[in-house]
Amino acid sequence: MPPPDTMFCAQQINIPPELPDLLKQFTKAAIRTQPHDVLQWSSAYFNALSRGEPLPVKERVEMPVATQKTDTGLTPGLLKILHKQLSSNQYVDVSELEQKWKDLSLPVEQLRSILALDNFGTDVEWMRFFALGCSTLGGSITSALKHACEILTKDPEGGAARIPFEVFTFFYLYLAEIDGEITESQTESVLSSLQVEVDQQDGMVQPRNFMNSLCPPLS
């Protein structure tokens, strides 16, 4: 015989005190991130929350540019999420990278295209992949380096977007190698002239240092 229906009143329902704030924070995160697959993203959000891992959440809503009206690909905000989630280790298992990529509803074809730019195996050197991701965002080395500065900087939003000179050097040399058309003498010339300028800025590079006539090989 089936048990009788149980009647509940408000006093009998125990609502955990932390639930309202948890749901409020989740809703705010979803609004900022605007995931294309809400269920997939929600699963990743609560899994990360339960493990104390970086959440797949954008810092702010990204306003799409004209070319992104129907584009569901990588954006600066999504690349920043991936960096927070995966940069704690020098190397990332490609299966973990692929899962994080899918959690953000990013097309797997784009991931494979980025991986194909270098000779990555089952372990991906994160900072190299990050550099290639910036290149995907920018379309030119100058734009890629600007994205890297804006994503990695510890400066407040709208600030100078500075990063250490050695980090900039790594990205520039690596992207120049991938590009294949920038000579070693050009990179040496750029870095030596840039070194003089950044020595006066506590060894930090910002976009205005390399997006000008002093560094023409970057254009």
Side-chain angles (χ1 to χ4, degrees):
M1 181 176 179
D5 293 337
T6 303
M7 300 296 293
F8 290 98
C9 63
Q11 291 75 16
Q12 291 176 293
I13 301 174
N14 180 33
I15 300 177
E18 65 273 15
L19 181 61
D21 184 62
L22 188 153
L23 294 178
K24 180 180 179 180
Q25 295 305 317
F26 166 75
T27 302
K28 287 182 176 180
I31 292 172
R32 288 202 306 273
T33 307
Q34 299 285 303
H36 292 282
D37 186 334
V38 177
L39 291 179
Q40 176 76 26
W41 177 83
S42 299
S43 175
Y45 177 92
F46 285 110
N47 278 332
L49 186 65
S50 67
R51 297 171 183 169
E53 299 173 351
L55 300 175
V57 179
K58 292 181 182 178
E59 294 180 356
R60 62 195 61 82
V61 176
E62 287 184 291
M63 299 302 295
V65 297
T67 57
Q68 293 177 322
K69 287 182 178 178
T70 59
D71 182 15
T72 58
L74 190 64
T75 67
L78 295 176
L79 183 57
K80 190 167 188 175
I81 290 175
L82 290 169
H83 183 69
K84 287 181 178 179
Q85 292 178 319
L86 299 171
S87 63
S88 58
N89 295 316
Q90 182 180 359
Y91 290 91
V92 179
D93 187 276
V94 71
S95 61
E96 181 182 4
L97 173 57
E98 184 172 342
Q99 183 59 57
K100 299 294 186 187
W101 193 268
K102 290 179 179 178
D103 289 342
L104 297 175
S105 305
L106 289 168
V108 176
E109 295 78 10
Q110 187 180 39
L111 173 61
R112 291 171 181 164
S113 296
I114 296 175
L115 291 173
L117 294 173
D118 200 344
N119 189 28
F120 293 117
T122 56
D123 289 327
V124 176
E125 187 174 346
W126 172 250
M127 293 304 281
R128 289 177 180 265
F129 181 88
F130 176 84
L132 294 176
C134 289
S135 181
T136 300
L137 295 173
S140 70
I141 291 183
T142 304
S143 297
L145 293 170
K146 182 174 183 290
H147 280 300
C149 288
E150 292 171 346
I151 293 172
L152 296 179
T153 189
K154 295 182 180 179
D155 291 332
E157 183 181 6
R162 299 167 298 171
I163 63 174
F165 179 69
E166 59 270 21
V167 175
F168 172 88
T169 299
F170 170 80
F171 286 137
Y172 177 45
L173 292 177
Y174 175 62
L175 291 176
E177 178 186 350
I178 294 295
D179 180 86
E181 296 184 1
I182 301 176
T183 67
E184 184 176 346
S185 62
Q186 285 178 319
T187 59
E188 289 177 355
S189 175
V190 167
L191 292 175
S192 63
S193 62
L194 194 58
Q195 178 77 70
V196 174
E197 189 172 356
V198 301
D199 281 346
Q200 302 172 7
Q201 301 173 174
D202 299 324
M204 304 291 282
V205 178
Q206 55 186 295
R208 74 171 184 83
N209 296 136
F210 56 83
M211 297 187 73
N212 54 46
S213 59
L214 294 178
C215 302
L218 282 174
S219 302

